[in-house]
Amino acid sequence: MKWLNPFFWLDDKISPQRRGVYTLFKKELLRFWRVAFQTIASPILTALLYLLIFSHVLESHVKVYDQVSYTAFLVPGLMMMSLLQNAFANSSSSLIQSKVMGNIVFLLLTPLTTMEFFIAFLAASMIRGLVVGLSIYLVALCFVSVPTVHPGWIITFALCGSALLGTFGVIAGIWADKFDQMAAFQNFVIMPLTFLSGVFYSIHSLPPFWQAVSQLNPFFYMIDGFRYGFFGQGDVSPWLSLAVVASFLLGLAWLCLKMLKSGYKLRS
């Protein structure tokens, strides 16, 4: 059945030199695609429940930007939150499962370079995050109108955000030895940073101290820059947000490649 392999049309067009990285990428892609109810439909439903509850309770009490309803304000935040969490989950869960099950050795024995290994995991994570984020946007349009003032900024932050959390997921998957450690990383690092990044509010509504604390959170810049693309308004300049996100992305990518090249917790 071709719908189980959305990239079937590429199978015969990949050159022999790219066949290895493409095969690993396709394996990672099919890993989440074949359980789409769990990996795509479930986060969409969760985001819609957040949208339903928060908009019902706060719509008439909270005004963040001029000419923008609170329900519309929520949509980009929920999109980016789900995009980030799913990009992270894809690469991290794949690596930790391979390590615990012991089949990571079959990946390490392949003649793939460190960069090809990294690109395959990263690309599949980005696609899962982008599919979830786009799906939430399309479903949310059934309930509320959300403008797209600067589509270029939306695409830029969606790509950078999914790449950053996909890379973060590879690092966490390499570091963790057990499912408990991975769950702790997700629940005590990724989840708090995501929820305290302005998904449900503008940091200008916070006291000065907490505004300063929020600006130390890199997730805040991903969500604020992404939201700027929709409304043309944000808490900080989108260029500042892009500089922060790009810096973190480059730093994490460098660290990830170093870990892969050294075989840290993979070849020991």
Side-chain angles (χ1 to χ4, degrees):
M1 291 182 288
K2 290 183 176 179
W3 67 272
L4 287 175
N5 176 15
F7 282 74
F8 67 91
W9 51 276
L10 264 177
D11 288 356
D12 298 328
K13 298 176 182 174
I14 300 298
S15 66
Q17 294 79 11
R18 299 285 179 265
R19 180 63 61 180
V21 65
Y22 171 71
T23 301
L24 181 55
F25 160 72
K26 184 177 165 184
K27 172 248 180 194
E28 288 300 307
L29 189 76
L30 296 181
R31 202 181 64 84
F32 79 82
W33 184 256
R34 291 186 175 176
V35 287
F37 276 110
Q38 175 191 341
T39 56
I40 298 176
S42 176
I44 294 171
L45 177 62
T46 302
L48 289 177
L49 288 173
Y50 278 126
L51 185 67
L52 174 68
I53 294 168
F54 278 86
S55 63
H56 177 72
V57 173
L58 298 176
E59 175 68 40
S60 58
H61 302 287
V62 177
K63 187 74 174 177
V64 184
Y65 298 146
D66 294 335
Q67 311 297 324
V68 178
S69 69
Y70 181 69
T71 305
F73 171 85
L74 273 180
V75 173
L78 292 172
M79 287 172 62
M80 184 54 105
M81 180 181 77
S82 303
L83 182 155
L84 298 177
Q85 290 177 347
N86 281 276
F88 174 85
N90 203 66
S91 49
S92 61
S93 63
S94 177
L95 277 171
I96 189 65
Q97 283 174 9
S98 294
K99 288 172 69 176
V100 172
M101 301 296 289
N103 57 32
I104 188 73
V105 66
F106 298 116
L107 292 179
L108 299 176
L109 287 174
T110 60
L112 292 174
T113 65
T114 300
M115 182 60 77
E116 288 174 333
F117 190 93
F118 174 66
I119 288 174
F121 274 89
L122 184 62
S125 297
M126 290 176 68
I127 288 177
R128 174 172 165 182
L130 293 171
V131 167
V132 171
L134 179 62
S135 301
I136 290 172
Y137 176 69
L138 294 176
V139 176
L141 286 181
C142 300
F143 306 99
V144 60
S145 173
V146 184
T148 52
V149 177
H150 301 296
W153 281 118
I154 295 173
I155 295 169
T156 300
F157 279 99
L159 292 174
C160 288
S162 58
L164 199 156
L165 265 292
T167 305
F168 213 168
V170 176
I171 293 172
I174 294 172
W175 169 79
D177 294 317
K178 306 179 213 173
F179 287 114
D180 271 1
Q181 291 175 326
M182 182 56 68
F185 199 95
Q186 193 148 12
N187 292 328
F188 294 101
V189 178
I190 301 299
M191 188 76 75
L193 287 176
T194 307
F195 272 77
L196 298 176
S197 59
V199 172
F200 303 103
Y201 54 84
S202 162
I203 66 166
H204 286 151
S205 63
L206 301 175
F209 173 78
W210 291 110
Q211 284 189 36
V213 171
S214 295
Q215 292 181 15
L216 298 176
N217 179 0
F219 286 44
F220 158 72
Y221 296 95
M222 286 185 267
I223 290 178
D224 194 65
F226 188 63
R227 187 175 274 139
Y228 178 87
F230 285 91
F231 306 122
Q233 303 175 69
D235 291 335
V236 298
S237 162
W239 291 105
L240 172 62
S241 296
L242 182 61
V244 173
V245 174
S247 300
F248 271 91
L249 175 57
L250 292 174
L252 287 179
W254 175 82
L255 175 63
C256 185
L257 288 169
K258 290 285 285 183
M259 291 170 77
L260 287 171
K261 190 172 183 179
S262 68
Y264 175 73
K265 287 199 170 184
L266 291 176
R267 298 183 187 276
S268 58

